[in-house]
Structures are given as C-alpha cells and as structure tokens.
Amino acid sequence: MSTIAPPHHVRVLAAEGHRHGEIVTPAALEFVGRLAAAFGDRRRELLKERRRQVLRLASGSPLDFPMVTCAVRADPTWRVAPPAPGLTDRRVEITGPPDRRMTVNALNSGAKVWMADFEDATAPTWDNVIGGQLSLLDAIERRIDFTTGQGKEYRLAEGDKLATIMVRPRGWHLDEEHLEYDGRPVPAALVDFGLYFFHCAQRQIDAGYGPYFYLPKLENRYEARLWNDIFVLAQDLLGIPRGTVRATVLIETITAAFEMEEILYELREHSAGLNAGRWDYLFSVIKTFGHRTDFLLPDRAQVTMTAPFMRAYTELLVRTCHKRGAHAIGGMAAHVPGKDPAANEAALAKVRLDKEREAEDGFDGSWVAHPALVPVCRQVFDAVLGDRPHQQDRTRDDVDVTARQLLSVRRISGPPTPEGVRTNIAVALRYFAAWLRGQGAVALYGLMEDAATAEIARVQIWQWLRHRVIDREKVLALLDDEVAALGAEYPWAPVDDIRALFERTAMSGELPLFFTPDAYTRHLVRQTGAEI
C-alpha cells in the first residue's frame, strides 16, 4: 500500500495500480490538497444547506425565483465570456466514460465536443478514476493508440478533426474515499477536477484549447460561486490567466432551474453556457416534491420533453443563455444501434424528431451517447445553423416562464402502468449490477444508460409506494422475479447485494437522496482496497 503525505497531507489509501504513479504524483496531491484546504469547509456547509432546503420545501415553503437577486436578472448589461477556442461551434456533443476505447471513439466521432464523464457514466472504482485521468493525458499527448487482444485497432485521427474535450467531475455530494485530507475523504469533485487540471490544463492551452468542464447537479448560485472560486485559485496556483477555464453547468435540479441567470452570473468569466439534463431533472423533481400528490409522475417513458413543465424548463434555459451570450445545449439521445434494421430506423426517427424540436427551439447543440447518432444530430443542426456556429441571435424574447409553469407537473400526473413498474425495477437492478462491477455506462433495452437512469427508476418506485398507487407486496413479487432473471442473465452478479441496495434506496420510508454514496462505501471501496 502506498502512503504519500505532501505538505497538505493528502494520503493515498489504495493499492498502487499500473501507471498510477504518473497521475498520483506528490505535486498533484499537493495541488488537490490545497483545493481541499481552501474549499472543503464551504462544500460541507453547502451540502448542509441542501438538506435544510429539502426540509423547507417539504414543510410547504414555496419555490420561486429569488427576490434578492432580481437586480441580477433585471440588469441587461452583463454577458458571459465569449466562447473559448474549440467551444464556438457545439452543434453535436458526445458523452461517455473516459476509458481508453471510448476516448478514441468519442474523439474520432465527428462530434464537436466530447464530455469525458467521471460522474454518471463512471463507476468510481479507483482504477476507473485514475485510468480515466491516464486516458485523457494520453489522448492529449496523442499516445493513446492501441490494439486489442483480438486485433482491433484504435487510433486517433490525424489533424484537427478531434472533438474538444470537456471533463465532467463527480458531484458535490460524493467523496473520494481513496484520498484523505486532514482525516477526511477528499471531495470527489476536487479530485476529478484537480488531477485533470494539474496534468492537462497547460497541455490543453499549448494545444490551442483550454481546461473545459461540465458541472453536474448544482442546486443554486452559491454552488456555482464555489466552482468559480475554485477556478480562480487553480489558475492562480499554476500561473494560468484567469478566465482560461470554461464550464457548462447542467441544469438538472429543479432548484437550479429557478436560478439559471444567477448561475451564469456567478461563473460569467468562466461560463460556457447551460445544458438541459432530462432524467436527472425528473429525478430532482421527485426528490424535492415527491411527498406531494400533485407531483405524482406516470411512467418515465410518458414524461417527454413536450410535457408542459419540461417545455417551460427548456424554453427558459434557451432564453436565459441567449440573453447572456451563452450556449444552450440540449439533452441526451441515448439510442444504441442494434441488429434489427426496422427497430434502428424507428429509433433514429425519434432521435431526429427530438433534435429537430431542440434546434427549432433555439438550442445551439445537443448530446448523443453513441457515435452512430452523431450524423443524425449534425444533419438536424446543420439544417438550422448552416455555416453559423450557433444561434444565439435567437433571443427568444417571446418566452416568459413563471414559477407556476415550471412546477405544473399535475398536468401530466397519473398512476403508473404495470409495465412501467416492472421496467423500472428491471432497469435499476441491471444498472446496479453493472455499476457494482465497475461499469457506469450500460446498454440496456436499446439505450445507453447511466446513473441518472437508475436514479429516476428507483425514485419512481419510491414515490408510487409512498402514495400507495402500487402495492408493496406486488413490488416485492416483481422484485423476486427480476432478481431471479438477473441471476440467470448475469451469473456473476452479487444478487443479494443488488436486491439489498434496491430495497434500501427504493423501498425505505425515507428516500436516500442518491444511491451512489451508499453503493460506493458498501461495495466499490471495499473492492479496491481502501484502508477505511
């Protein structure tokens, strides 16, 4: 076991793996330690504030646009920073975990941007966390080419046709148990950000780009301000000019939807816009208001982006971004091509319709989860943008969204179908099985799923049980069936652990805010040798 203690006392509590020493260097740990020393207490206070906000809203306090920041929203003069090199045209973005195969495929995909995802698409084993950092470093150094044991070659394309890299660190709610500072686990967000920034920021600048990020699961302007202060210190520590960092914030919590302008304002010298994340947004709606019958959602497949409260959210996002000179990036197309041509054609038609809606609404680009979807998304946005890099000139002054519209869930509320209940159980169990095995992006039933899918699936079961629209005994019977099917399908799966995880996170009286902290400390840390 390695124990490294630089002046800021960051210790590694895991066995050293192949090439880990290239990332987990004393200087890199010192850098991460300085970030933890400067911002660890603020992060803990913000997490406490999240819990206080949950209690306030549960007790009946209204959710509305903040009165104290009305001057920020009313001021027409401020804008975010202009697009950084490589981020002017973002009409197609691809997402995925930073393993070596995905890194090559994503960079070669023809997308304008690749979001290297340490969050929802990565199960945070220590090997995955450090291996992802190695993949990014090797890609930037153009030494990632490799050949599999079956003879398949993975090679980066020549020239400047590679996608621009943006990194999504883990959310504020997660710790990295394999690194310890001052007797505590280091916040996972600071680990993912800090290691990449330390090793790759200057390399990206030298290559004509910069250190670019996606920020997940922010809930308010204070969390955006914390990230901005981290960017400032990180740039100062490494002698990088302020404003070099760029970050796009995912608006994937209901509370953040009420502070979009404030979030852009806090990050304005480092802002690269906002993104609309569907499943996490619905997950947040249930977490926040799931105790109320007027927020009872039907099967998740029935809650499309054309639902009135989802339309209000996306139209407000586009208007907010374009009012402030920022990019508005649309949501995920998760279809995975299969062997059935007719099924593929039908799925691609749905993807095309979804992207046409986004482009017509004014979005400047959108996400796909598979390289095969890049041409479809590009064709749709090419038809609207032409040679223009974006459509920020569409200010959407026709949009005037109220708090009531953002919360008008009752217009589509309703009970689930039997198929919807079974599907949620099946998807959650299969994703848990893959995640506990170290796989964070999983093809399930023709879709590329990540942790957000498992979250919405399990909280819907919790909500339906809470309001007694489904019978607990029926859920247990379905759970028996699906656990048995899982064991037959995945003989390697720890079915007892998976069932227990589902029961704790979907069937308990109090809803756990995330499944990942529980599963991480009980399973992944134990598997990877942390001394805790």
Side-chain angles (χ1 to χ4, degrees):
M1 303 295 289
S2 59
T3 301
I4 303 172
H8 279 84
H9 311 297
V10 174
R11 295 198 308 147
V12 180
L13 304 176
E16 185 171 344
H18 177 59
R19 295 183 62 200
H20 283 196
E22 296 177 39
I23 298 297
V24 189
T25 64
L29 291 175
E30 165 73 8
F31 181 75
V32 170
R34 295 187 73 170
L35 297 180
F39 302 110
D41 288 344
R42 273 178 64 185
R43 176 254 189 178
R44 284 189 289 275
E45 285 303 311
L46 287 173
L47 291 180
K48 290 179 182 178
E49 176 55 29
R50 284 186 179 185
R51 292 188 287 271
R52 289 191 288 266
Q53 175 76 317
V54 167
L55 295 175
R56 285 195 294 268
L57 294 174
S59 67
S61 294
L63 182 59
D64 207 338
F65 299 98
M67 286 291 295
V68 295
T69 55
C70 61
V72 170
R73 297 193 299 275
D75 182 354
T77 62
W78 65 268
R79 296 288 188 275
V80 303
L87 295 181
T88 300
D89 187 333
R90 299 171 61 182
R91 66 188 67 197
V92 189
E93 301 192 351
I94 191 168
T95 75
D99 60 66
R100 298 183 74 79
R101 182 178 63 85
M102 181 65 193
T103 298
V104 175
N105 286 343
L107 292 174
N108 287 343
S109 67
K112 293 292 186 178
V113 169
W114 170 42
M115 187 191 77
D117 189 7
F118 284 91
E119 201 220 9
D120 279 355
T122 296
T125 66
W126 185 236
D127 281 344
N128 283 351
V129 170
I130 303 305
Q133 297 285 346
L134 282 165
S135 294
L136 294 170
L137 179 60
D138 286 349
I140 293 166
E141 292 285 308
R142 298 191 71 94
R143 62 190 185 202
I144 197 171
D145 298 355
F146 68 100
T147 302
T148 68
Q150 293 74 38
K152 184 173 182 179
E153 294 186 349
Y154 289 83
R155 301 283 184 270
L156 288 181
E158 296 298 326
D160 59 354
K161 296 183 179 180
L162 302 181
T164 300
I165 295 172
M166 299 185 78
V167 171
R168 177 160 74 166
R170 282 168 284 177
W172 283 130
H173 60 290
L174 294 168
D175 289 318
E176 177 49 72
E177 300 279 0
H178 300 96
L179 292 181
E180 179 185 88
Y181 172 75
D182 196 25
R184 300 174 183 264
V186 178
L190 297 183
V191 175
D192 299 338
F193 166 81
L195 292 177
Y196 176 74
F197 193 90
F198 182 84
H199 290 292
C200 297
Q202 189 60 53
R203 286 179 165 92
Q204 286 286 59
I205 295 166
D206 294 342
Y209 299 97
Y212 306 145
F213 300 91
Y214 259 98
L215 305 180
K217 296 180 175 57
L218 300 193
E219 298 205 1
N220 54 56
R221 62 193 180 276
Y222 302 110
E223 295 181 13
R225 184 181 302 168
L226 174 58
W227 268 118
N228 195 74
D229 291 346
I230 290 167
F231 297 157
V232 169
L233 178 60
Q235 290 166 131
D236 289 350
L237 289 174
L238 297 190
I240 291 172
R242 293 188 181 186
T244 303
V245 172
R246 289 291 193 278
T248 300
V249 173
L250 292 114
I251 300 299
E252 52 188 353
T253 65
I254 183 66
T255 52
F258 285 83
E259 299 192 28
M260 293 188 201
E261 284 196 75
E262 291 87 343
I263 287 169
L264 288 178
Y265 182 81
E266 294 293 345
L267 285 160
R268 58 195 181 281
E269 72 171 334
H270 299 114
S271 178
L274 304 176
N275 170 281
R278 176 186 178 187
W279 289 138
D280 268 313
Y281 190 75
L282 293 175
F283 166 47
S284 173
V285 168
I286 296 174
K287 281 196 305 181
T288 306
F289 295 110
H291 59 287
R292 289 171 48 174
T293 56
D294 53 335
F295 282 82
L296 183 65
L297 287 172
D299 298 351
R300 58 193 175 95
Q302 297 178 22
V303 189
T304 68
M305 297 304 288
T306 60
F309 78 104
M310 297 298 282
R311 288 287 291 160
Y313 149 64
T314 55
E315 290 198 313
L316 178 61
L317 190 148
V318 172
R319 184 183 188 280
T320 300
C321 285
H322 290 182
K323 177 181 177 182
R324 303 304 180 179
H327 279 82
I329 307 299
M332 175 70 77
H335 172 62
V336 177
K339 296 180 180 180
D340 183 345
N344 285 337
E345 185 176 349
L348 288 176
K350 290 182 179 179
V351 170
R352 182 178 295 276
L353 283 173
D354 189 52
K355 299 309 170 190
E356 287 174 347
R357 173 192 54 77
E358 290 180 331
E360 291 167 1
D361 282 350
F363 280 96
D364 302 296
S366 192
W367 274 10
V368 300
H370 193 281
L373 301 183
V374 170
V376 176
C377 187
R378 185 175 61 236
Q379 289 164 10
V380 169
F381 277 89
D382 284 351
V384 172
L385 296 178
D387 294 331
R388 297 178 300 158
H390 51 71
Q391 52 181 335
Q392 291 178 10
D393 57 308
R394 287 198 63 200
T395 55
R396 294 304 310 271
D397 294 333
D398 58 304
V399 171
D400 184 17
V401 173
T402 66
R404 185 173 182 176
Q405 289 172 318
L406 286 173
L407 298 172
S408 62
V409 176
R410 66 187 179 280
R411 294 177 63 182
I412 63 159
S413 64
T417 65
E419 295 80 11
V421 177
R422 182 180 287 276
T423 297
N424 275 347
I425 295 172
V427 167
L429 291 177
R430 281 158 179 76
Y431 186 82
F432 289 168
W435 196 89
L436 294 178
R437 204 184 192 197
Q439 185 179 1
V442 189
L444 295 173
Y445 307 114
L447 299 174
M448 186 61 71
E449 308 286 24
D450 63 14
T453 306
E455 294 287 26
I456 181 64
R458 60 106 185 169
V459 299
Q460 282 209 296
I461 296 295
W462 177 87
Q463 185 185 41
W464 295 334
L465 285 170
R466 178 184 175 90
H467 293 292
R468 297 189 175 92
V469 295
I470 56 176
D471 181 71
R472 185 177 183 86
E473 294 306 314
K474 179 63 173 177
V475 172
L476 288 171
L478 290 173
L479 184 58
D480 288 340
D481 291 347
E482 292 301 326
V483 167
L486 178 69
E489 186 178 349
Y490 302 154
W492 45 264
V495 291
D496 290 341
D497 288 344
I498 293 164
R499 182 190 180 110
L501 176 60
F502 183 88
E503 290 182 347
R504 287 195 305 273
T505 60
M507 301 183 70
S508 60
E510 293 297 321
L511 177 67
L513 296 183
F514 298 93
F515 87 83
T516 43
D518 175 280
Y520 177 65
T521 55
R522 288 174 184 263
H523 302 287
L524 289 194
V525 174
R526 186 179 66 203
Q527 292 172 14
T528 52
E531 297 175 336
I532 56 177

